[in-house]
């Protein structure tokens, strides 16, 4: 059994608690009920321990008359003050995805299909404005916190005076210009608690009037005096940790920043503690302010503390009710609210985006009703366009069930330099850099130039122009060039080593179908050249250029970019390759043959590529996966150049059909259909083990079933260890295939080009 206090300590504290409370009762006038205040300190993740105390207060039937809080204490306290019960808050805490709450990226499900591939691919992103690097007031803007708070506090969107909440409330932030506390009594509750929790240098400061605000813990992490100033006669204070921790407890960057930022609060804390009538200090020495990966443990400790202090709360509640009939907490304190009709939409902070485009990004229309979920999803959708670093909304009532939607935006810098690293057992180490710019030629456009700096040089320049009121339509023009290794295999054994020079110029039109699907059509001009590096028996060198007209459909509902747990993807492309113009020489045993003398059919041919997969989450640790990868060239008679390259796990080379067990290019064919099944196990967050097996049928086109042999069948297997890191996937795989009967290692670190 976990021991929180020895029996002597409990008895001593009980006597002090009851003695102090009885003294208050004796000194009160007969008709004036003593007011009970509740103060919740800051402490980052440790603030989840507050929830168990609230549950115990609810169970005891103790009426709280005012709540004050700082940082995480302001969040928990505000939820309680507006009407959520302790049990409600516990459900919220368990349900929230805390990792996404503290990132500044939208969920990939909200990102448009034409941008999913580039989304989140870089370890470092440096914004530039007017030719200079732009730095913000914190590393994290935490957009999802703004929007989640917007949903949670929507029931009180029409209450701007915090004393009008079900329980009057105040929270503390710090003015960075003066170093003085700012006590929030009114205004927008979401902005107030977001300011109160803005740990300096970690979270961006919150603009407020003509200044900026950061975490209230800098000056008052335990705001007992504010409860007293609200009229509290008796204050229950929950203190998560002293303002300054010993050196051996400073185990994370957030802990150190807390320590540095809260030096000033150390003196204030002594006075605040003296004002507390009942001080509760959960034993949280083994946790840090960043322990959001231990939600269950923190809630458990809070519940244990609640059980320990329940008798105290019960005795106080019973004493009050015996003397004052109104000392009963209200039931169902959370207001019931319906959707409101949005009469007007305003926005501040827009610089390069006009109001028409802004409302188009939101997808909201005035004159129509919207609720908490619709408003937050609209803001998420606009944020997912990549145009904003922060986008918050506030609902201002104008009449009954009518409101004005006031948005505060902070646009992303128009230019961004992005840097990533990639290592792959097929291509070695690469530095990937991207220079991206919004609205280069016209509004609602995105342009980038991406370079893969390695022995396998690649460059991609793309201009994407959106149009239409909701930016559902778009046109894209891109230029791509690579100088890539191109090994040739015979019977799955390498026989030659080539370099390929490949270039394409692509133009397409597309239509977005929500954020999870798109259709389009395009035409591409392609150039391909092969040069031998090592070719011991025969040698081919030459070029071919041709046109490729195609249509495509893409869908992606995956929940994560890296090692997804749930969702599906589909990528289907059908087209025709035409107007080929080959120019090559084939040399065998010293005799050369040109393209004019060889009788090779370079007529037009049709292509069909299908890549699809589905992930099934069995629970929070186990995931089943299934994939189909297929490529077929119809009426294709060429012996080289545009065959499908079979092999590899990561799909990142031209005409690749992934196949576990083979390395990239190890299999060459004009037709393949492959099926993969696997299971993914995640024993600890972001650490995974994956087992995959796949079978494939190759060179089956124009063959009857009875003409197929074992040579047309492939199988391969892989066992992988992976890690979902902040800079991309890390995965090491041991593979085996039935054609070579060999085991091979396979490594991928970071995002591919």
């Amino acid at each position: 059994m976990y021991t929180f206090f020895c029996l002597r300590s409990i008895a001593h504290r009980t006597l002090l608690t009851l003695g102090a409370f009885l003294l208050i009762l004796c000194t009160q006038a007969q008709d004036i009920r003593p007011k009970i205040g509740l103060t919740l300190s800051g402490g980052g993740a440790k603030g989840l321990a507050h929830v168990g105390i609230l549950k115990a207060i609810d169970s005891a039937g103790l009426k709280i008359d005012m709540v004050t809080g700082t940082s995480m204490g302001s969040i928990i306290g505000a939820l309680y003050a507006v009407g959520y019960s302790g049990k409600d808050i516990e459900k919220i805490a368990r349900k929230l995805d805390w990792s996404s709450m503290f990132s500044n990226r939208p969920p990939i499900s909200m990102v448009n299909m034409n941008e999913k591939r580039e989304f989140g691919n870089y370890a470092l992103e440096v914004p530039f404005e007017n030719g200079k690097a732009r730095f913000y007031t914190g590393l994290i803007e935490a957009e999802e916190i703004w929007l989640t708070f917007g949903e949670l506090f929507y029931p009180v969107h029409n209450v701007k005076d915090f004393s009008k909440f079900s329980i009057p409330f105040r929270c503390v932030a710090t003015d960075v210009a003066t170093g003085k506390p700012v006590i929030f009594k009114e205004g927008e509750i979401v902005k107030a608690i977001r300011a109160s929790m803005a740990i300096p240098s970690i979270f961006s400061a919150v603009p407020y009037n003509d200044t900026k605000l950061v975490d209230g813990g800098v000056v008052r992490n335990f705001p007992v005096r504010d409860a007293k100033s609200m009229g509290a006669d008796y204050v229950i204070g929950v203190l998560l940790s002293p303002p300054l921790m010993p050196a051996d407890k400073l185990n994370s960057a957030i802990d150190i920043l807390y320590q540095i930022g809260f030096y000033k609060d150390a003196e204030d804390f002594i006075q605040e503690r003296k004002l507390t009538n009942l001080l509760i200090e959960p034993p949280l020495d083994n946790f840090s302010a960043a322990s959001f990966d231990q939600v269950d443990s923190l809630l458990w400790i809070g519940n244990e503390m609640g059980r320990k202090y329940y008798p105290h709360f019960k005795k106080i509640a019973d004493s009050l009710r015996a003397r004052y009939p109104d000392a009963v907490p209200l039931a169902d304190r959370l207001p019931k609210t319906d959707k409101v009709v949005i009469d007007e939409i305003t926005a501040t902070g827009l610089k390069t985006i006009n109001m028409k485009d802004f409302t188009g990004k939101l997808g909201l229309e005035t004159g129509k009703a919207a609720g908490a979920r619709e408003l937050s999803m609209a803001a998420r959708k606009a944020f997912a366009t990549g145009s904003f670093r922060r986008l918050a909304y506030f609902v201002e009532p104008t009449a009954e069930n009518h409101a004005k939607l006031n948005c505060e935006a902070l646009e992303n810098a128009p230019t961004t330099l992005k840097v990533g690293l990639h290592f792959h057992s097929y291509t070695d180490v690469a530095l990937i850099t991207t220079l991206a710019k919004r609205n280069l030629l016209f509004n609602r456009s995105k342009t980038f130039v991406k370079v893969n700096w390695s022995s396998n040089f690649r460059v991609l320049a793309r201009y994407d122009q959106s149009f239409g009121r909701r930016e559902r339509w778009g046109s894209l023009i891109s230029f791509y060039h690579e100088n890539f290794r191109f090994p040739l295999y015979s019977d799955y054994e390498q026989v030659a080593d080539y370099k390929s020079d490949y270039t394409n110029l692509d133009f397409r039109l597309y239509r977005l179908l929500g954020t999870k699907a798109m259709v389009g059509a395009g035409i591409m001009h392609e150039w391909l050249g092969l040069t031998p590096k090592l070719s011991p028996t025969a040698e081919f060198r030459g070029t071919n250029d041709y046109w490729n007209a195609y249509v495509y459909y893409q869908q992606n509902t995956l929940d994560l970019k890296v090692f997804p747990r749930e969702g599906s993807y589909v990528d289907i492309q059908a087209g025709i390759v035409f107007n080929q113009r080959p120019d090559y020489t084939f040399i065998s045993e010293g005799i050369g043959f040109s393209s004019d003398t060889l009788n090779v059919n370079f007529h037009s041919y049709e292509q069909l590529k299908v890549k699809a997969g589905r992930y099934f989450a069995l629970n929070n640790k186990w995931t089943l996966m299934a994939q189909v990868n297929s490529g077929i060239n119809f009426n294709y008679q060429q012996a080289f150049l545009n065959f499908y390259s079979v092999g590899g796990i990561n799909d990142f080379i031209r005409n690749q059909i992934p196949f576990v067990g083979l390395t990239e290019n190890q299999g060459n064919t004009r037709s393949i259909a492959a099926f993969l099944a696997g299971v993914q196990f995640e024993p600890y967050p972001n650490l995974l083990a994956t087992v995959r097996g796949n079978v494939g049928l190759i060179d089956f086109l124009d063959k009857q079933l009875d003409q197929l042999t074992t040579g047309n069948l492939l199988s391969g297997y892989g066992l992988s260890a992976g890690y979902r890191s902040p800079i991309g996937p890390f995965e090491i795989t041991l593979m085996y295939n039935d054609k070579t009967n060999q085991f091979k290692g396979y490594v991928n670190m970071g995002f591919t080009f």
Side-chain angles (χ1 to χ4, degrees):
M1 179 178 179
Y2 191 91
T3 304
F4 292 92
F5 300 98
C6 66
L7 293 176
R8 177 186 293 180
S9 175
I10 294 174
H12 180 66
R13 192 177 296 275
T14 302
L15 290 174
L16 289 176
T17 300
L18 295 179
F21 185 68
L22 290 173
L23 181 62
I24 291 173
L25 287 178
C26 292
T27 56
Q28 291 290 324
Q30 186 70 21
D31 57 345
I32 300 177
R33 177 175 62 83
K35 303 297 184 183
I36 308 299
L38 175 66
T39 295
L40 306 178
S41 81
K46 292 185 284 188
L48 293 170
H50 288 313
V51 179
I53 307 300
L54 299 180
K55 289 172 62 180
I57 289 173
D58 290 341
S59 296
L62 176 60
K63 182 177 182 179
I64 299 297
D65 296 290
M66 63 277 298
V67 178
T68 62
T70 297
S71 196
M72 194 65 175
S74 75
I75 299 172
I76 304 297
L79 289 170
Y80 192 66
V82 301
Y84 291 96
S85 69
K87 289 183 178 179
D88 292 335
I89 300 172
E90 182 176 63
K91 290 178 182 177
I92 292 169
R94 293 188 188 278
K95 184 178 178 181
L96 287 178
D97 181 352
W98 292 97
S99 60
S100 66
M101 288 282 286
F102 296 115
S103 74
N104 208 46
R105 288 176 177 164
I108 191 171
S109 60
M110 298 298 299
V111 178
N112 285 334
M113 273 299 305
N114 59 325
E115 299 178 46
K116 287 185 189 288
R117 183 169 178 82
E118 283 294 297
F119 173 74
N121 278 10
Y122 301 93
L124 176 66
E125 297 188 13
V126 181
F128 282 83
E129 194 166 17
N130 299 322
K132 297 181 180 179
R134 178 177 175 179
F135 298 99
Y136 297 99
T137 56
L139 296 175
I140 302 172
E141 186 60 52
E143 173 70 12
E144 189 57 28
I145 286 181
W146 285 97
L147 301 183
T148 300
F149 286 173
E151 290 184 47
L152 291 173
F153 290 99
Y154 180 79
V156 292
H157 71 268
N158 57 341
V159 182
K160 307 303 180 183
D161 181 349
F162 299 171
S163 67
K164 303 298 183 182
F165 290 160
S166 172
I167 301 173
F169 173 76
R170 290 181 187 176
C171 65
V172 184
T174 303
D175 186 334
V176 295
T178 65
K180 294 181 179 179
V182 175
I183 312 302
F184 277 100
K185 307 176 183 179
E186 59 185 9
E188 298 292 348
I189 184 61
V190 172
K191 180 177 287 189
I193 58 178
R194 173 59 178 82
S196 183
M197 58 156 284
I199 304 170
S201 300
I202 296 294
F203 292 100
S204 296
V206 175
Y208 179 71
N209 294 338
D210 296 323
T211 188
K212 290 182 173 63
L213 304 180
V214 294
D215 198 307
V218 173
V219 290
R220 193 175 300 163
N221 197 43
F222 192 40
V224 181
R225 73 176 65 178
D226 298 295
K228 288 289 189 181
S229 69
M230 295 173 72
D233 300 296
Y234 186 90
V235 178
I236 300 169
V238 186
L239 179 63
L240 302 175
S241 61
L244 299 182
M245 295 185 293
D248 62 340
K249 299 298 182 182
L250 301 174
N251 298 318
S252 72
I254 293 181
D255 287 334
I256 293 173
L257 285 167
Y258 253 101
Q259 188 89 331
I260 294 172
F262 297 169
Y263 285 149
K264 187 176 180 180
D265 177 56
E267 295 181 7
D268 181 83
F269 166 74
I270 297 172
Q271 300 303 318
E272 301 292 331
R273 186 166 183 158
K274 290 179 179 178
L275 295 173
T276 310
N277 299 101
L278 175 59
L279 181 64
I280 302 173
E281 297 181 273
L284 299 169
D285 290 347
N286 294 327
F287 300 89
S288 77
S291 296
F292 286 99
D293 58 341
Q294 300 182 69
V295 171
D296 290 342
S297 298
L298 288 163
L299 290 172
W300 182 84
I301 289 177
N303 288 333
E304 287 297 305
M305 291 299 291
R307 278 189 280 270
K308 291 291 184 182
Y309 278 87
Y310 172 81
H312 299 254
F313 304 146
K314 181 66 172 170
K315 288 177 181 178
I316 295 173
D318 290 345
S319 298
L320 284 171
R321 282 197 297 270
R323 191 166 184 180
Y324 305 100
D326 68 333
V328 178
L330 298 175
D332 300 323
R333 295 185 295 112
L334 189 67
K336 300 294 189 296
T337 56
D338 298 320
K339 295 182 179 181
V340 295
V341 176
I342 303 300
D343 295 324
E344 181 185 358
I345 300 174
T346 67
T348 59
L350 299 181
K351 294 182 179 179
T352 64
I353 300 172
N354 60 46
M355 194 62 196
K356 181 179 179 181
D357 288 346
F358 175 74
T359 55
K361 293 178 188 294
L362 285 174
L364 293 173
E365 295 183 13
T366 56
K368 292 189 176 181
R373 186 64 176 168
E374 290 90 345
L375 294 175
S376 289
M377 291 303 290
R380 286 186 181 95
K381 186 176 71 171
F383 179 72
T385 65
S387 301
F388 306 100
R389 178 172 171 84
R390 178 182 69 243
L391 181 57
Y393 70 86
F394 308 101
V395 181
E396 179 184 339
T398 55
E400 186 176 357
N401 294 326
H402 284 254
K404 179 167 66 172
L405 187 68
N406 298 320
C407 300
E408 291 185 5
L410 175 62
E411 288 189 24
N412 272 325
T415 304
T416 306
L417 175 64
K418 307 176 184 181
V419 181
L421 285 173
H422 179 236
F423 173 80
H424 195 281
S425 50
Y426 181 73
T427 58
D428 295 328
V429 178
L431 174 68
I432 300 174
T433 60
T434 296
L435 187 64
K437 185 170 179 60
R438 290 186 292 111
N439 302 333
L440 176 64
L441 299 179
F442 304 102
N443 283 340
R444 299 189 283 181
S445 69
K446 294 181 179 180
T447 308
F448 70 75
V449 177
K450 182 177 182 180
V451 182
N452 185 93
W453 303 97
S454 73
S455 57
N456 298 283
F457 179 80
R458 308 167 98 173
V459 60
L460 171 64
R462 190 173 84 172
Y463 180 85
D464 192 343
Q465 178 69 59
S466 299
F467 50 90
R469 182 183 174 278
R470 295 194 176 184
E471 303 183 26
R472 296 297 192 195
W473 291 92
S475 62
L476 185 149
I477 185 168
S478 66
F479 169 83
Y480 174 74
H481 173 76
E482 70 175 21
N483 190 288
F484 221 69
R485 64 169 300 203
F486 193 85
L488 291 181
Y489 288 80
S490 177
D491 293 327
Y492 306 99
E493 297 292 337
Q494 186 173 347
V495 295
D497 197 11
Y498 279 71
K499 270 286 186 181
S500 71
D501 285 287
Y502 171 77
T503 304
N504 73 49
L505 183 64
D506 186 17
F507 175 77
R508 67 181 70 173
L509 294 171
Y510 62 84
R511 174 70 161 85
L512 296 174
L513 308 174
T515 61
K516 299 177 181 179
M518 67 187 299
V519 294
I523 187 165
M524 181 190 304
H525 195 190
E526 301 180 71
W527 296 265
L528 174 64
L530 293 180
T531 305
K533 293 176 63 181
L534 179 62
S535 184
T537 55
E539 179 179 296
F540 171 90
R541 66 175 67 235
T543 63
N544 188 16
D545 72 272
Y546 48 91
W547 291 87
N548 183 358
Y550 59 91
V551 295
Y552 66 94
Y553 171 80
Q554 294 177 347
Q555 175 190 305
N556 188 322
T557 65
L558 299 178
D559 61 338
L560 297 172
K561 179 76 179 273
V562 178
F563 306 128
R565 303 185 186 104
E566 189 69 66
S568 63
Y569 67 89
V570 176
D571 189 347
I572 302 174
Q573 180 175 311
I576 181 170
V577 175
F578 62 97
N579 197 28
Q580 297 188 76
R581 296 188 298 178
D583 182 11
Y584 61 87
T585 301
F586 182 74
I587 301 174
S588 178
E589 298 180 353
I591 301 175
F593 303 90
S594 69
S595 54
D596 295 330
T597 60
L598 289 172
N599 185 23
V600 179
N601 183 353
F602 279 92
H603 295 163
S604 300
Y605 64 92
E606 299 78 35
Q607 284 189 325
L608 176 64
K609 304 174 186 177
V610 178
K611 297 178 180 180
R614 181 75 168 91
Y615 291 80
F616 306 86
L618 301 179
N619 51 43
N620 60 354
K621 293 184 182 294
W622 292 92
T623 299
L624 297 180
M625 65 176 71
Q627 296 176 5
V628 173
N629 293 294
S630 180
I632 304 173
N633 289 342
F634 300 93
N635 302 312
Y636 177 84
Q637 302 299 323
Q638 300 163 211
F640 38 79
L641 295 179
N642 274 348
F643 49 70
Y644 292 103
S645 299
V646 181
I649 298 175
N650 305 100
D651 189 357
F652 73 111
I653 66 175
R654 190 179 70 90
N655 279 353
Q656 181 180 2
I657 301 296
F659 195 88
V660 178
L662 300 176
T663 57
E664 284 76 4
N665 278 313
Q666 194 171 357
N668 302 318
T669 181
R670 65 181 177 132
S671 60
I672 177 172
F675 174 77
L676 178 147
V679 59
Q680 180 176 282
F681 176 54
E682 190 170 353
Y684 302 101
N686 300 317
L687 187 64
L688 305 100
T690 308
V691 179
R692 300 179 179 93
N694 48 199
V695 294
L697 187 64
I698 64 170
D699 292 327
F700 59 83
L701 205 62
D702 302 326
K703 290 185 180 181
Q704 300 296 324
L705 187 61
D706 58 359
Q707 295 176 311
L708 298 175
T709 68
T710 56
N712 298 108
L713 296 174
L714 292 176
S715 66
Y717 314 91
L719 174 62
S720 303
Y723 177 63
R724 194 185 289 116
S725 81
I727 61 173
F730 284 64
E731 189 170 28
I732 301 175
T733 304
L734 181 65
M735 303 190 307
Y736 173 83
N737 76 83
D738 67 323
K739 295 302 180 183
T740 63
N741 295 319
Q742 293 178 345
F743 288 93
K744 290 188 176 181
Y746 186 92
V747 180
N748 180 74
M749 298 183 181
F751 289 104
T752 59
F753 183 83

